[in-house]
Amino acid sequence: MVDLRYESPETIEVAVALLAAEGQMARVFAGGTDLLVQMKEELVEPALLVDIKKISETRLIAIDPDQVRIGAAVTGAELGENEQLKAMWPGVVEAVELIGSAQVQGRATIGGNLCNASPAADSVPALIAAEARAVIAGPDGIREVPVGEFLTGPGQTSLGLGEFVTSITLPKPPEHGGDAYLRFIPRTEMDIAVVGAGLSVVLNPDGTCAAARLALGAVAPTARLVEAASEIMVGNKLDDTVLEALSAAASETCSPIDDKRGTIEFRTKVAGVLACRVAKIAWRRAENN
Amino acid sequence: MNNKDSAGTNFKWVGKRTRRPDGPDKVTGRARYGDDMIVPGMLHAKILRSPHAHAKILSIDTSKARAFKGVKAVVTSADIPDHPLTKPPYGPIITDFHDISCNVLAREKVLYDGHAIAGVAATSERIARAAIKLIEVEYEVLPHVLDPLEASKPDAPVLHDHQYTHGVDPEPEKPSNVFRVVTGGRGDVEKGFAGADIIVEREFSSQPVHQGYIEPQACIATASEDDSVELWTTTQGHFVIRAFCARLLNMDMARIRVTASEIGGGFGGKNNIYAEPVAIRLSQMTGRPVRMVMSRSEVFRATGPASGTHTRIRMGAKKDGTITAAEVDIYNQAGAFKGSPVGRSIETFFSAYTIENIRASGYDVCVNRPKVAAYRAPGAPMAAFAAEGTINELASRLGMDAVDIRMKNAVREGDQSLSGIKYGQIGLLDVLEKVKSHEHYSAPLGPNQGRGFALGYWMHGGGLSSVSANLLDDGTIAVATGNPDIGGSRSSMRVMAAEELGIDIEMIKPIVADTGSMGYSHLTAGSRTTFATGMAVINAVREIIDKLRALAAKKWEIPVEEITWEAGQAETGRDGIKALSLKELAGMATKMGGPIAGHSEINAGGAGAAFSAQLVDVEVDPETGFVSPKRYTVFQDVGRAISPDYVEGQIQGGAVQGIGWALNEEYVYDDQARLQNTGFLDYRMPVASDVPMIDAVLIEVPNPNHPYGVRGVGEPPIISAPAAVANAVENAIGITMSSLPLSPPKVLNAIEQGQAEKD
Ligand SMILES: Cc1cc2nc3c(=O)[nH]c(=O)nc-3n(C[C@H](O)[C@H](O)[C@H](O)COP(=O)(O)OP(=O)(O)OC[C@H]3O[C@@H](n4cnc5c(N)ncnc54)[C@H](O)[C@@H]3O)c2cc1C
């Protein structure tokens, strides 16, 4: 039985020092919607919780000329209320807004969703599709990693001792760009993705595809970029041939497990279906931008 | 005396939408549920549970846990009396105290993942949780079996070496997981099938489902030095809890006083004892109150569920739709201990129909899962799933309308159920006619949509109820029942008392009294409370009225026969005598003879049958197999809706639970038979946005055996829901669906196989 301590530092430096000193037994505490559940179920038994919500950098949404910075401890509800961000990266925002219920939305953070590193985390495929990067503070200063590389396995990240994510950056959305996220759950809410698909696309002035990134969640140990998607889409319009190829490429990228949430066969099939559906939505958004 | 006309037009309160008496406290959070009780000096208890589905317990060493700082006591099965096995003849429901004892704390064997092994009481819940991990249990893991059909095979791992199948000839020589075979029937099925123009033969399977009450089990036991115990618990029947605990622990019943907390749902799942005896023993050992609250995961692993089933069914019909014969075998899983509701399944299959030739066999099968508990119309939804599915196929093969085929075969007054109960005034035809004339029945459907229909039958119970009504000298009345209020019984009791007395409902305060204050009252279950306890309320209040008439007679010095009770006052036809109101009489009572109270202790009979038919439209996503219910109408004979808001609530809740049963609810085990989805995140009950508004069409064919015509309403609405939803999916995708749940992977597979067969 471990006695639990709680700290809520106001600066990145103090947070890093606390985390580094406690080592493995420390946990960053953001919204707690994953962490507290895991503690109640006795899956983790930390000795120290470092609440990062008093650190101002983690709570800001900054829309700079060349990029968007979202503090790691910004909640789903706050993202959903930010009209400017919603217009720029609707897919990322809709992914984060799918997390939980109204109550969970008020607590759950984008950084927590990323760092919890669930293969089914909703924000992650959308973030990968959008080429998001995680900004990491640690004993050696600040570093940045693309989200796709940040996640190394189920529940595992590339964070080292004393490190935590301070913010997530997104590029400024390109002209004629659009993104979207869709997930499949057997209910309509309050469930965990059986498959998630995030896609961002940029169109040429002639209406063909200039660039595309498709990422899938819940179909592999970590969210996966469908490498072939770009090749399939670039230079083409979104016709049936392209959709069929996209669907096949999505299914081929899957290496899921059978578990309580879905079967291998089902996940593989539905990944293809969602890839097409999400492509259509992102494409329509790009056409309107 | 106050017999209202059968159309109900004279009612003052019955049928009105009144403010609920339990509403404000529930909305403000003041209502106290199981875990809201704090007693000074209390200890916190936790239970160690088996990680194995089937294993011998070789040894239990509790010494490290006992030595842990803050631990006050540890209890194992050695501290709970064992009881002999129940011997035949067996009734329809078996309450076997050997089984109960072994379920409360495992003895030689653990029989399912989550089976309780030991309890620890400590100064904090955290310490208790840490201490149970220090208990060392040595197991010999045995092979397990989860499926009732598999468990019935001769080479299946056997749970109980002492169990030989009952009700088969010749008597078996080897122990078996099949506890008994229950049979039912009438006529000559072979002859019946010979006379059929068409025969449908199918197999159906359904999965166990949990009752899914929001409030986990919770209790506090306080034992005194004089061998008495006070128990606070969330339950559907505190009198039953008292009886079970006293019998199990060899205590005098009168020494256990049980108070029922507010209850956050039960649906049959809170009819039993789990942690209560453990908390009592820990309190006796420590001399301190002991509080025990289950986590959601413990609730899923160790309480409930309803049986999973496997059914083989065969039905034959003539071209005109007359069903000539029906034959069924159902394997009903009981969980770790005997006692699935297989008898009720058999009763339910065909009792709505006048089929002349029937043969039914039901197998009560033990498997390595928690012991099943009652769940809304126990045994019926799975039976209806098979029977109604088969009738729908008969209808479609005959090119007949789904309602018409049921009308053709429907039971009427004077017909008999399979168990031989003769129907009195029933509303089946009224229900079916209402379906046909309803706009939903012929409303257009969109693409990928299908409509389903099914009928549910249920024979309600009455039983033992006690009521005590006390008139106070300001004219208000405290009406105490012994039935926990799950579905709005306090409101209905108040309405019936006010109606009978002819006074404002606000003059009546309904309460649920503890076991020390009242006569025995059976469970709030089986849709019996408004019927049976309501009848006792009416009796008790009539006794008050009689006493008030006598009081008025004394005051006026005229014979009591001349005094009538109308609109809340005593009246006489004589000139010059002014009527006396209830309030005036109440004020006089203490000075003119003493306090006035009425009470009633009854065994209510004649609850009768009720029928619920359901129409549902679903839309199926052909690419993912996702099923979305779009429109839902329930048509139910409710006898008399005392409180229509609650009646509709019961119907809506029942239908939604049935939708969950049909679509996504199931237990997921790993290869070691450890339960994987022990929370609401992964045990997929419907959430609000999953279901459309459930429209309730109330049909009132009064039950002649109740003063106001009440029938039960809580159970029928779940019965036909799985069958109706499955039928709607079948109609949307054009493929028969026989295995629940109709989860997206299963539906998608069916669609793809259907396509492959077409190509
Ligand atoms: C009812 C319910 C429904 C849910 N539904 C969904 C859903 O639909 N989709 C979905 O994806 N998830 C869902 N979740 C999971 C959870 O809500 C999300 O993952 C949420 O985004 C986590 O954020 P948080 O701020 O609560 O994280 P926390 O619980 O505070 O933290 C999660 C983990 O990340 C670590 N961490 C947090 N922030 C940082 C940081 N900045 N740097 C380093 N490490 C950090 C913590 O130490 C912890 O290990 C649900 C949870 C619940 C309880």
Side-chain angles (χ1 to χ4, degrees):
Chain A
M1 226 170 56
V2 198
D3 282 325
L4 179 66
R5 283 180 302 128
Y6 170 86
E7 298 281 354
S8 52
E10 289 178 16
T11 64
I12 293 176
E13 292 69 31
V14 178
V16 167
L18 284 164
L19 290 168
E22 195 66 43
Q24 294 298 319
M25 295 296 279
R27 282 285 184 289
V28 174
F29 179 84
T33 60
D34 278 314
L35 187 57
L36 293 180
V37 178
Q38 289 158 6
M39 285 167 64
K40 267 205 142 173
E41 288 174 356
E42 301 182 343
L43 298 172
V44 294
E45 211 176 346
L48 173 67
L49 294 186
V50 179
D51 186 339
I52 57 165
K53 293 193 289 294
K54 292 216 175 108
I55 304 169
S56 56
E57 287 92 328
T58 72
R59 301 280 304 126
L60 291 175
I61 301 175
I63 298 181
D64 305 334
D66 54 340
Q67 67 168 11
V68 178
R69 229 165 0 110
I70 304 170
V74 171
T75 65
E78 286 164 337
L79 285 177
E81 282 164 10
N82 192 312
E83 293 303 329
Q84 214 184 338
L85 186 68
K86 236 165 138 171
M88 294 168 87
W89 289 104
V92 171
V93 177
E94 74 195 355
V96 180
E97 281 196 290
L98 279 176
I99 296 171
S101 57
Q103 294 93 323
V104 173
Q105 279 286 304
R107 304 274 316 171
T109 66
I110 187 167
N113 194 238
L114 174 64
C115 295
N116 189 58
S118 158
D122 280 310
S123 72
V124 172
L127 288 172
I128 293 176
E131 289 189 270
R133 300 166 74 83
V135 182
I136 299 165
D140 300 330
I142 303 285
R143 64 185 178 106
E144 268 191 49
V145 191
V147 162
E149 289 165 33
F150 176 76
L151 297 160
T152 54
Q156 279 161 4
T157 67
S158 62
L159 286 175
L161 183 75
E163 285 190 326
F164 76 103
V165 174
T166 58
S167 62
I168 289 160
T169 63
L170 294 164
K172 183 171 172 270
E175 219 180 320
H176 305 309
D179 77 330
Y181 176 78
L182 277 180
R183 70 173 180 186
F184 181 85
I185 55 171
R187 291 183 286 191
T188 47
E189 58 180 337
M190 295 303 284
D191 215 324
I192 300 297
V194 175
V195 181
L199 187 139
S200 80
V201 63
V202 185
L203 302 184
N204 291 314
D206 69 355
T208 58
C209 176
R213 282 169 70 85
L214 168 64
L216 299 174
V219 295
T222 60
R224 280 207 178 158
L225 189 70
V226 180
E227 306 278 356
S230 153
E231 206 177 307
I232 291 165
M233 291 177 72
V234 169
N236 293 315
K237 295 210 169 175
L238 200 61
D239 55 23
D240 285 351
T241 322
V242 168
L243 285 170
E244 223 167 272
L246 193 65
S247 169
S251 292
E252 270 162 36
T253 308
C254 299
S255 61
I257 51 165
D258 269 327
D259 73 355
K260 60 190 172 187
R261 294 187 177 136
T263 60
I264 293 173
E265 193 193 353
F266 183 75
R267 287 185 146 125
T268 308
K269 275 184 220 160
V270 172
V273 173
L274 288 197
C276 296
R277 291 182 181 179
V278 79
K280 286 181 196 163
I281 300 170
W283 195 281
R284 204 170 50 238
R285 285 177 181 163
E287 282 174 338
N288 293 334
N289 275 337
Chain B
M1 186 187 345
N2 266 358
N3 274 332
K4 307 287 170 172
D5 77 7
S6 60
T9 46
N10 281 346
F11 285 126
K12 183 164 184 217
W13 297 109
V14 168
K16 301 285 183 317
R17 296 176 191 269
T18 54
R19 189 173 67 88
R20 51 191 290 177
D22 56 330
D25 279 358
K26 283 182 176 164
V27 169
T28 56
R30 193 165 281 118
R32 280 183 308 168
Y33 290 87
D35 86 336
D36 288 326
M37 180 64 104
I38 305 290
V39 180
M42 70 186 183
L43 300 173
H44 301 262
K46 274 282 149 198
I47 287 184
L48 172 71
R49 295 181 183 279
S50 169
H52 302 297
H54 194 192
K56 262 191 204 143
I57 298 177
L58 302 177
S59 67
I60 304 178
D61 181 352
T62 61
S63 54
K64 283 188 189 138
R66 279 176 212 276
F68 196 67
K69 192 161 178 285
V71 170
K72 299 294 174 188
V74 180
V75 55
T76 66
S77 61
D79 305 297
I80 305 259
D82 196 4
H83 293 265
L85 278 162
T86 305
K87 295 210 171 61
Y90 300 112
I93 294 172
I94 304 170
T95 306
D96 188 316
F97 279 86
H98 175 72
D99 290 352
I100 292 177
S101 177
C102 292
N103 195 36
V104 162
L105 288 175
R107 291 184 176 277
E108 293 82 20
K109 266 180 158 189
V110 288
L111 297 165
Y112 54 94
D113 167 49
H115 197 157
I117 295 170
V120 171
T123 48
S124 78
E125 197 173 320
R126 241 179 122 221
I127 293 174
R129 253 191 284 144
I132 56 173
K133 290 185 193 149
L134 301 175
I135 298 173
E136 290 164 2
V137 185
E138 242 187 299
Y139 300 97
E140 179 191 328
V141 177
L142 302 168
H144 62 262
V145 61
L146 290 172
D147 177 74
L149 211 53
E150 290 298 317
S152 304
K153 294 183 177 159
D155 55 349
V158 171
L159 275 73
H160 303 287
D161 291 336
H162 58 70
Q163 180 172 288
Y164 291 78
T165 307
H166 189 75
V168 288
D169 195 26
E171 266 185 44
E173 283 165 15
K174 272 176 56 187
S176 163
N177 292 319
V178 180
F179 166 66
R180 65 171 161 183
V181 183
V182 180
T183 54
R186 63 185 177 217
D188 176 348
V189 276
E190 286 322 312
K191 206 177 104 208
F193 281 117
D197 295 316
I198 147 176
I199 294 173
V200 169
E201 205 169 336
R202 275 176 75 170
E203 292 198 22
F204 292 84
S205 66
S206 73
Q207 292 301 308
V209 288
H210 197 269
Q211 291 78 355
Y213 36 81
I214 288 292
E215 182 201 21
Q217 270 82 354
C219 67
I220 297 188
T222 309
S224 305
E225 282 65 22
D226 70 348
D227 287 341
S228 61
V229 165
E230 288 195 3
L231 181 67
W232 161 271
T233 187
T234 172
T235 175
Q236 292 180 237
H238 39 313
F239 290 83
V240 172
I241 299 294
R242 176 179 68 179
F244 279 18
C245 288
R247 171 90 183 267
L248 183 72
L249 300 173
N250 294 330
M251 293 177 68
D252 295 337
M253 272 172 83
R255 288 193 187 272
I256 304 181
R257 180 171 167 195
V258 187
T259 305
S261 70
E262 284 291 341
I263 178 168
F267 311 107
K270 288 184 185 158
N271 296 350
N272 307 307
I273 50 173
Y274 295 101
E276 288 89 349
V278 181
I280 291 175
R281 284 301 287 132
L282 287 168
S283 179
Q284 289 171 331
M285 290 158 114
T286 57
R288 288 173 64 174
V290 172
R291 178 175 193 265
M292 177 97 78
V293 180
M294 281 199 197
S295 68
R296 178 66 58 196
S297 140
E298 290 181 283
V299 168
F300 272 112
R301 288 171 72 202
T303 73
S307 301
T309 56
H310 191 94
T311 309
R312 287 191 288 265
I313 187 166
R314 195 168 161 232
M315 284 177 109
K318 285 199 162 55
K319 283 202 187 84
D320 70 353
T322 308
I323 303 172
T324 58
E327 193 169 40
V328 68
D329 291 287
I330 183 164
Y331 294 80
N332 228 307
Q333 55 106 336
F337 301 96
K338 63 183 172 275
S340 74
V342 66
R344 290 314 293 260
S345 295
I346 298 251
E347 234 278 299
T348 315
F349 277 104
F350 311 117
S351 279
Y353 306 108
T354 56
I355 307 166
E356 270 176 33
N357 308 296
I358 298 174
R359 183 194 67 75
S361 302
Y363 298 78
D364 186 17
V365 191
C366 293
V367 296
N368 294 111
R369 298 176 184 252
K371 162 83 183 359
V372 299
Y375 181 21
R376 266 190 135 128
M382 343 35 169
F385 172 56
E388 295 294 300
T390 307
I391 293 174
N392 281 333
E393 187 170 338
L394 274 177
S396 95
R397 301 246 303 255
L398 289 167
M400 222 176 148
D401 177 273
V403 177
D404 287 347
I405 192 169
R406 287 167 172 96
M407 281 192 163
K408 181 101 203 161
N409 296 283
V411 288
R412 289 150 214 254
E413 191 168 342
D415 289 332
Q416 284 186 2
S417 76
L418 188 62
S419 56
I421 299 171
K422 209 172 202 175
Y423 296 117
Q425 183 170 306
I426 51 172
L428 176 51
L429 285 175
D430 308 67
V431 165
L432 292 172
E433 271 156 21
K434 197 79 182 190
V435 176
K436 274 211 102 166
S437 62
H438 197 275
E439 174 270 327
H440 184 179
Y441 192 64
S442 46
L445 287 166
N448 298 318
Q449 293 187 352
R451 176 164 300 144
F453 176 74
L455 175 66
Y457 149 88
W458 188 246
M459 181 60 78
H460 287 111
L464 311 177
S465 283
S466 300
V467 167
S468 163
N470 292 293
L471 176 63
L472 308 171
D473 56 12
D474 62 355
T476 58
I477 299 180
V479 175
T481 73
N483 280 107
D485 178 357
I486 307 187
S489 59
R490 271 169 299 193
S491 176
S492 299
M493 300 307 144
R494 187 171 69 160
V495 164
M496 284 184 272
E499 187 72 47
E500 204 59 36
L501 285 158
I503 60 173
D504 192 275
I505 54 166
E506 295 296 339
M507 306 267 291
I508 292 162
K509 174 71 180 170
I511 67 153
V512 180
D514 65 70
T515 57
S517 327
M518 300 281 307
Y520 184 86
S521 296
H522 200 51
L523 302 162
T524 298
S527 309
R528 63 174 289 278
T529 305
T530 307
F531 172 75
T533 308
M535 211 184 304
V537 164
I538 292 169
N539 291 343
V541 162
R542 284 180 181 174
E543 191 180 328
I544 290 181
I545 293 171
D546 285 344
K547 288 179 178 172
L548 291 173
R549 283 172 58 233
L551 183 62
K554 202 163 162 187
K555 171 85 180 164
W556 291 330
E557 297 177 342
I558 61 171
V560 70
E561 294 74 31
E562 284 186 33
I563 297 169
T564 56
W565 187 264
E566 286 298 334
Q569 48 188 19
E571 292 174 3
T572 157
R574 295 196 192 191
D575 287 342
I577 298 187
K578 200 174 140 281
L580 280 168
S581 71
L582 177 114
K583 196 175 164 135
E584 289 166 320
L585 286 163
M588 289 164 16
T590 44
K591 288 164 230 126
M592 289 183 65
I596 288 181
H599 64 107
S600 172
E601 292 79 27
I602 59 169
N603 186 358
F611 299 88
S612 176
Q614 316 205 341
L615 267 183
V616 50
D617 299 349
V618 303
E619 188 171 309
V620 180
D621 181 336
E623 289 182 319
T624 64
F626 182 88
V627 176
S628 168
K630 291 290 174 201
R631 186 171 179 191
Y632 210 112
T633 314
V634 179
F635 305 80
Q636 187 168 321
D637 172 16
V638 300
R640 172 86 65 216
I642 300 292
S643 306
D645 283 333
Y646 284 100
V647 170
E648 287 161 6
Q650 287 289 327
I651 287 174
Q652 289 161 342
V656 169
Q657 287 182 312
I659 291 171
W661 201 325
L663 291 183
N664 280 308
E665 288 181 40
E666 64 183 318
Y667 284 48
V668 183
Y669 286 94
D670 69 6
D671 56 1
Q672 301 300 306
R674 290 184 180 134
L675 189 58
Q676 299 299 295
N677 53 339
T678 62
F680 283 133
L681 193 55
D682 294 308
Y683 181 82
R684 288 159 170 152
M685 295 188 81
V687 297
S689 53
D690 288 341
V691 294
M693 182 64 190
I694 309 289
D695 292 314
V697 178
L698 308 187
I699 294 142
E700 295 190 306
V701 178
N703 175 7
N705 300 319
H706 183 279
Y708 296 156
V710 167
R711 290 180 201 276
V713 296
E715 297 181 289
I718 199 172
I719 298 172
S720 44
V725 172
N727 185 225
V729 173
E730 291 180 337
N731 289 334
I733 65 177
I735 297 160
T736 48
M737 298 300 289
S738 307
S739 162
L740 298 183
L742 302 175
S743 56
K746 242 191 236 170
V747 175
L748 186 59
N749 263 341
I751 293 171
E752 288 181 347
Q753 266 174 23
Q755 227 125 37
E757 276 160 33
K758 257 187 239 159
D759 294 346

